[in-house]
Amino acid sequence: MKRIVLLTVFAIITLAVTACGASTVEPVRGTWGNDVFTSEYLGLRMVLPTGWNVSTDLEIAALMGISAQMMAQVGAEMPDDLDSLTDTMITSPFSGANIQISYVRLGRGRPPSPTEVIDVAIDEIRDIGGRATRESGTTRIGDYDWYSFRTELDMFGMTIYGRQFFNIYQGFIRQIVVSTGGEQWILDNPGAIFAGTSGALPQRLNVQRTGDLVGNWAWDADETYTYIFNSDRTGIRGWPGETDTFEWYIDGTNHLIIFFPDYNLAENWTYSVSGNVLTIDSRQAPGLTFSYIRR
């Protein structure tokens, strides 16, 4: 859970914005059914990609720093004494990519402009050593338009990319927060999983390509050094008697992510398979290339 929580840092960026109008309409939480999240309040439906997990209310409570008992009291509608609420979160268990939907209650006074919200967010991400870029215009997600900005933060030897969509609605900032170490499709194509409350749903994505890597591969410079990629996305690499276990994931652009739970470390590679030869090129150390022969 630690790795996933750190990837959700972008969800708290706008909490410093505290001015808003007096009238409020309390958010109503969405519901899950048949791997589809439906929120009439947000005017959207979200299709869970194959292999992704939906966080439980207990996990969401831990993320928010509240007790399970308090989370149980939330029910369908957000309580008056709760300043923020994560409605739902979905996560890719191997890449760590996730999407959160959350709401931030704003205090009395003049409603903030979208520019003011983005300015606060950019200041906060820069304060923690990240990078942020504002985007012009809006993006249609479901039945509403959403403003957005992008973020980058270096973690675990890799860059975590984020895109935060938000709009301001009757006393609340409503947020869709996306973060990923490699699955760029979730940053640039919200229509791949989101739809409005009526009409057709997008086809459910299966982003877990594994077939071309599954197997045993020997290093062309020393055949005793091997990679074993299992179909359940676990693996082993190293020399006999000196091996490390890992988890692995591939997005849609030949981006291989290898995560070592024992060291809390992720490696990023671009891979290609030609015949019986696997070639991996490091995305973190330019020029570092290895080739392996299928056994």
Side-chain angles (χ1 to χ4, degrees):
M1 189 66 182
K2 178 182 178 183
R3 176 163 55 110
I4 295 172
V5 169
L6 285 173
L7 295 182
T8 66
V9 65
F10 308 111
I12 64 172
I13 289 174
T14 59
L15 295 183
V17 181
T18 57
C20 193
S23 63
T24 63
V25 173
E26 299 295 326
V28 176
R29 296 187 70 191
T31 58
W32 281 96
N34 297 320
D35 293 323
V36 176
F37 175 79
T38 301
S39 173
E40 297 290 341
Y41 170 70
L42 293 176
L44 60 77
R45 291 175 293 169
M46 176 172 64
V47 180
L48 183 72
T50 300
W52 284 48
N53 297 327
V54 179
S55 295
T56 66
D57 279 359
L58 185 60
E59 291 170 329
I60 290 174
L63 177 66
M64 293 175 58
I66 64 175
S67 66
Q69 291 80 3
M70 182 178 295
M71 192 68 190
Q73 294 171 7
V74 170
E77 189 171 289
M78 182 172 170
D80 293 340
D81 58 351
L82 201 60
D83 291 331
S84 64
L85 173 67
T86 296
D87 190 338
T88 194
M89 181 171 73
I90 63 173
T91 305
S92 171
F94 289 92
S95 74
N98 68 60
I99 299 174
Q100 285 188 62
I101 293 175
S102 59
Y103 317 119
V104 177
R105 185 187 304 278
L106 302 174
R108 298 179 180 275
R110 176 184 62 83
S113 68
T115 298
E116 289 171 327
V117 173
I118 293 174
D119 286 345
V120 169
I122 287 177
D123 286 345
E124 290 202 355
I125 194 66
R126 288 175 177 171
D127 284 346
I128 60 174
R131 301 168 293 280
T133 305
R134 64 180 68 245
E135 296 185 302
S136 60
T138 58
T139 301
R140 191 75 171 182
I141 301 178
D143 300 335
Y144 290 94
D145 291 327
W146 300 73
Y147 298 93
S148 62
F149 57 92
R150 294 177 185 257
T151 55
E152 296 179 12
L153 191 65
D154 296 324
M155 289 181 172
F156 310 131
M158 63 188 294
T159 300
I160 307 300
Y161 300 93
R163 191 176 184 190
Q164 181 160 323
F165 301 93
F166 73 94
N167 55 37
I168 301 167
Y169 182 77
Q170 296 192 339
F172 290 86
I173 294 178
R174 312 190 299 184
Q175 304 174 111
I176 301 172
V177 182
V178 181
S179 62
T180 178
E183 297 178 63
Q184 299 298 315
W185 65 268
I186 64 175
L187 298 177
D188 300 321
N189 187 19
I193 65 170
F194 288 104
T197 51
S198 61
L201 287 168
Q203 183 177 359
R204 190 179 187 192
L205 290 176
N206 184 348
V207 292
Q208 302 172 70
R209 282 191 305 112
T210 60
D212 53 354
L213 268 182
V214 170
N216 192 324
W217 302 85
W219 188 18
D220 64 352
D222 181 352
E223 65 178 13
T224 64
Y225 186 95
T226 61
Y227 266 97
I228 299 175
F229 293 95
N230 299 315
S231 60
D232 64 357
R233 290 175 295 163
T234 62
I236 301 172
R237 81 173 182 191
W239 286 278
E242 300 179 35
T243 59
D244 289 309
T245 59
F246 59 84
E247 302 165 355
W248 63 281
Y249 183 88
I250 300 171
D251 74 3
T253 55
N254 288 352
H255 182 172
L256 170 62
I257 302 168
I258 300 177
F259 178 72
F260 298 90
D262 291 344
Y263 311 114
N264 202 24
L265 174 69
E267 294 179 355
N268 286 262
W269 304 86
T270 297
Y271 89 98
S272 62
V273 176
S274 178
N276 289 322
V277 179
L278 163 67
T279 302
I280 58 174
D281 299 287
S282 175
R283 295 189 174 205
Q284 295 156 303
L288 187 63
T289 300
F290 297 99
S291 293
Y292 299 85
I293 311 300
R294 187 187 293 275
R295 284 183 164 180

